[in-house]
Every structure is written in C-alpha cells, then in structure tokens.
Amino acid sequence: MTVSDPTAKPAESAGPESAVETARRQLERAAAHLDVDAGIVERLRHPTSVYRVTVPLERDDGSREMYTGYRAHHDSVRGPYKGGLRYHPDVSEEECVGLSMWMTWKCAVMDIPFGGGKGGVVVDPKELSAGEKERLTRRFAEELRPVIGPMQDIPAPDMGTGPQTMAWFMDAYSMQEGETTPGVVTGKPPVIGGSYGREEAPGRSVGIVTREAIDYYEWDREETTVAVQGFGSVGANAARYLDDLGASVVAVSDVDGAIYDSDGLDTNDVEDHDETPGMVSGYDAPETLTNDELLELDVDVLIPAAIGNVLTAENARDVSADMIVEGANGPTTSSADEIFEERGIHVIPDIIANAGGVTVSYFEWLQDINRRKWRLERVNEELETEMLRAWNAVRKEYEARNVTWRDATYIVALERIADAHETRGLWP
C-alpha cells in the first residue's frame, strides 16, 4: 500500500474538467461569500491522504491479474470518512479525490457526522464473473483494512458495486477482525444489517428536492414536465417518485438511448436499467432519442442521473430546461454552471439532491451500532425530515445572499465545516 502526496495538485489538462478541478472551483466560490480563515480553505483544497493498493485476482481460468485500487480521505473534522466504492475502468486517483471532496460537502449540508471519502478499483465489472467479482472484493477489503473501520472510514456502494458487493466486503473485514462488524460498510442487504430503503434513497431524495423546488417556484406539479437521463437506481426512483406526485415524466434513458412521449411515460411500466439492461431504450415509445438530445429537450425539469460531466460548455447553451436537479455526482462542469447562471437556469446541486443515499447510510450505521432495525416507514419519514431540514437551510441562504442554489448549498456546508475546524483547532 502506498500513500500519495496529499498536497500535490493535479496537472492542468486541455481535456474535460476533472472532478477535483470542479470541486475546488465550487469551494472557492462558496468561500468568497464567507469570512473563513484562508488556511482552512487551503486545507480543504486537498485530501488528507490517498491510498493506492494493488489488488491481485485469480481469474476463473487460473491466470492472475493485478488491478489498482484507491481510497481517498478528504476531511474527517466532523466524523469518520464516508463514501462509495466504485468498480469502473475510468477510476483514478484524481476522480476519487474530487468525489471525496463532494462527500465532505454532502455530509455537512445534511448535518451528518461524517467526513468525505471515496474509492474504487480500475476494472470493468462486466468482464468479471460473479466469483471473480467476489474474490476481487474480498482482496480489496483486505488491502484497505488498515485504513477503514466503523469509526474510521465507512465505504458504501457506487457505480459497478451494490448490496452484494458490500456483503462480501463486510464479511471479509469481519473474518479478519474476528467478529461480525456490520457497521464497516453501508448499503448491505437488510438480512445482514442493511437498512430498508437504502437502495431507493438517492433517487427518493432527488424526488423530494425536485418537489420542493417546484413548489418554491409555485409551478403546478401536474403541469410540470420532467426528463431523466439515466434510468438506473437513482433516475428510476426519482422518476417514479415524481410520476406518483403528478408530474409528467416525458423522457428517460439508459446507456443505449432515450425514449420520449410528450403525453408522459408510465414510469412504473418502464423497467429500469439495473433491473433489465437495455429495456429502457428498447421500450415501445412514440419517439426515441439519443442521450444528448434528451439533455436538450424543452422541459421544465432536467435530471441528469447517469454519469458526471454531461453538461459542459459545449452543450450548456442548447439546454432548454428551466431547472436542473443533479441526480448523478458532478454532472455539470463549472463552465456550464456559469452559462446556466447567465441564462437564468436554476441548478439544484448533487450534494443536496442525491444526499438521500448518505443520509440513509447514516441511519444504517446507527442501526448497526445499536443492533436495532428500523421499519421502512420510519426510514422514509426520517429521510423526509432530514431532506426538508437541509432544503430549508439552503433556501434561507439562497434568499438572503442572492446567490445560485449551488453557491447557497456550498455556503451551508462550508460554514459548518469551517466552524468545526475552528472549534477543534490544529494539533500539534
């Protein structure tokens, strides 16, 4: 295991804006509105540490391959590090650092006692058998064991991973610790300490925040049109929540394309991509579109819920939605954000919109520590309460400071983090 230099700045690139570049620019915009010590802001520009490990895997044919894994720790002033583990070919150290920064802000805006972490393995999980994925996960857990734990760093599912992955991870950690430790990860199946409602929570919170934003602008819910890019776990649950609310979800997509019906889709009739890959783009709908065309539809609300960096300077002027609610992590680059601000398009950021995932992860962690399971109804009630509390805090800053929704959200988060740093001080 190697520890990367936490003060190293990423090289500038002429390519797409990286997650860490976007996160740093968002931090600086928020800091400009607050009287925060410059040293604290500079500290928050960098991770505490980044761990890089080599993960050996014996393939089903007996051959061995080496994979690279990462775990970034950004800030733990408010509590243990918290964040997902993703299996994806594009996982990188820089991406993990940027995503860990967003997790710090997300936990702070929700007022959850966690800090930001993120990690993953550079691998295409589609190329692994179930047995290979299990062996990779167990070995990755062992490699990270010195730096994780229920009071130190608590991973969760992300792209390419899920409840079963977390079950294997928890079991591997527990076997080495000599005791069952369900609180080491969240997002597990309920049968081994997972929380009811955890899988649906990020999409549900996107729905809740969209509902509140629609009501804030006094739009008629039943006259509101919605397009969702990415009909996976987050997008499908958000779309179905809004459909049940009375909004008209006119377009959804998966990786292969989008479907469109100006009269509104029955989102419960469209299988999500996680349930049956390819079913969304293959659904019998009046029209089919590309994912790029979906982003430019003339709708009231656009929810990018697939991957990062889909809204850029290249397409921001072609977006016709009146409001964007970010379901994915980092779907909007800072250059696109500036264009949306100039055009008067409201952007509700990911760090509040999809924060239902980490919020219910917090509930799961509490249930594991207390060895007492909550009913689904309680989970959803508690999630609703926490989302409204966070929304009202952000709305207050939005109205008081005449800033964008993103700036207001970051102001709430940064003020809480800065207060914690000031109160704890610097040791030694």
Side-chain angles (χ1 to χ4, degrees):
M1 179 174 67
T2 60
V3 182
S4 302
D5 178 6
T7 64
K9 295 184 179 180
E12 292 297 323
S13 169
E17 183 176 280
S18 71
V20 72
E21 289 170 336
T22 302
R24 283 174 173 157
R25 286 169 181 161
Q26 292 164 346
L27 166 65
E28 288 156 5
R29 278 189 59 127
H33 294 281
L34 294 170
D35 183 19
V36 178
D37 184 273
I40 291 175
V41 175
E42 181 61 22
R43 163 66 190 84
L44 293 171
R45 284 174 49 83
H46 308 280
T48 300
S49 56
V50 184
Y51 298 90
R52 185 178 65 211
V53 298
T54 298
V55 188
L57 171 67
E58 183 173 325
R59 303 298 297 267
D60 290 341
D61 63 6
S63 63
R64 294 184 180 181
E65 291 191 34
M66 303 295 163
Y67 296 91
T68 301
Y70 299 98
R71 188 65 178 173
H73 290 160
H74 177 243
D75 188 81
S76 63
V77 71
R78 289 170 48 86
Y81 300 106
K82 187 80 186 76
L85 290 176
R86 56 178 51 181
Y87 290 173
H88 195 275
D90 295 332
V91 167
S92 67
E93 178 174 328
E94 191 172 49
E95 177 191 60
C96 290
V97 170
L99 292 171
S100 72
M101 292 175 73
W102 281 327
M103 282 303 301
T104 298
W105 320 138
K106 189 178 295 186
C107 292
V109 79
M110 295 305 302
D111 209 12
I112 293 170
F114 289 143
K118 205 75 173 187
V121 177
V122 187
V123 62
D124 185 348
K126 297 176 184 176
E127 296 179 356
L128 301 178
S129 68
E132 289 170 338
K133 190 172 181 180
E134 178 178 355
R135 293 194 293 276
L136 181 76
T137 299
R138 291 181 179 277
R139 185 56 185 256
F140 189 34
E142 176 59 19
E143 297 295 337
L144 290 184
R145 192 159 62 91
V147 298
I148 60 173
M151 299 298 171
Q152 185 176 1
D153 177 14
I154 308 146
D158 205 292
M159 292 172 59
T161 60
Q164 182 60 67
T165 319
M166 294 301 103
W168 292 327
F169 197 100
M170 185 274 281
D171 183 69
Y173 180 89
S174 296
M175 293 297 288
Q176 292 298 321
E177 291 295 303
E179 62 178 354
T180 299
T181 313
V184 70
V185 296
T186 59
K188 308 175 294 297
V191 71
I192 56 167
S195 177
Y196 297 120
R198 171 58 182 82
E199 278 195 89
E200 300 83 7
R204 189 176 184 86
S205 69
V206 170
I208 292 170
V209 167
T210 304
R211 179 197 73 198
E212 292 303 304
I214 289 171
D215 291 349
Y216 181 81
Y217 288 108
E218 298 182 342
W219 297 351
D220 186 331
R221 293 181 184 180
E222 295 189 355
E223 295 295 323
T224 300
T225 55
V226 181
V228 181
Q229 186 199 45
F231 203 66
S233 177
V234 177
N237 281 294
R240 288 167 181 162
Y241 182 96
L242 294 169
D243 193 358
D244 291 343
L245 202 66
S248 180
V249 180
V250 298
V252 299
S253 74
D254 61 17
V255 68
D256 298 316
I259 56 175
Y260 173 77
D261 186 340
S262 59
D263 293 328
L265 297 161
D266 180 353
T267 57
N268 289 302
D269 191 38
V270 182
E271 293 187 67
D272 72 44
H273 188 74
D274 290 346
E275 292 167 351
T276 309
M279 278 300 295
V280 176
S281 50
Y283 182 82
D284 185 17
E287 292 185 54
T288 59
L289 308 168
T290 66
N291 268 284
D292 289 340
E293 289 171 333
L294 180 148
L295 294 173
E296 298 170 7
L297 284 173
D298 185 7
V299 292
D300 297 309
V301 181
L302 171 64
I303 301 176
I307 57 175
N309 281 1
V310 296
L311 297 172
T312 66
E314 284 68 39
N315 64 3
R317 296 199 182 278
D318 296 320
V319 171
S320 300
D322 295 314
M323 179 164 61
I324 297 165
V325 181
E326 296 181 331
N329 289 320
T332 310
T333 65
S334 56
S335 53
D337 239 356
E338 292 173 3
I339 294 171
F340 293 143
E341 182 178 4
E342 172 194 321
R343 296 182 59 205
I345 297 175
H346 308 295
V347 182
I348 313 296
D350 48 1
I351 64 168
I352 184 171
N354 67 22
V358 72
T359 303
V360 177
S361 279
Y362 172 55
F363 298 163
E364 180 175 332
W365 183 71
L366 290 175
Q367 292 169 70
D368 289 337
I369 290 173
N370 292 294
R371 295 295 200 271
R372 185 166 185 176
K373 190 175 293 295
W374 297 1
R375 296 174 295 106
L376 176 61
E377 293 78 9
R378 178 180 177 185
V379 171
N380 287 338
E381 288 169 5
E382 296 273 1
L383 175 60
E384 174 87 9
T385 298
E386 296 304 319
M387 294 308 304
L388 291 181
R389 181 179 289 120
W391 170 261
N392 288 330
V394 170
R395 178 182 52 76
K396 181 179 177 181
E397 294 294 341
Y398 176 77
E399 294 174 343
R401 297 178 182 272
N402 192 29
V403 293
T404 66
W405 285 105
R406 189 183 306 281
D407 287 342
T409 308
Y410 275 77
I411 286 167
V412 170
L414 180 56
E415 192 162 37
R416 289 171 177 169
I417 295 164
D419 285 348
H421 274 286
E422 288 282 4
T423 302
R424 288 186 60 167
L426 183 64
W427 184 89

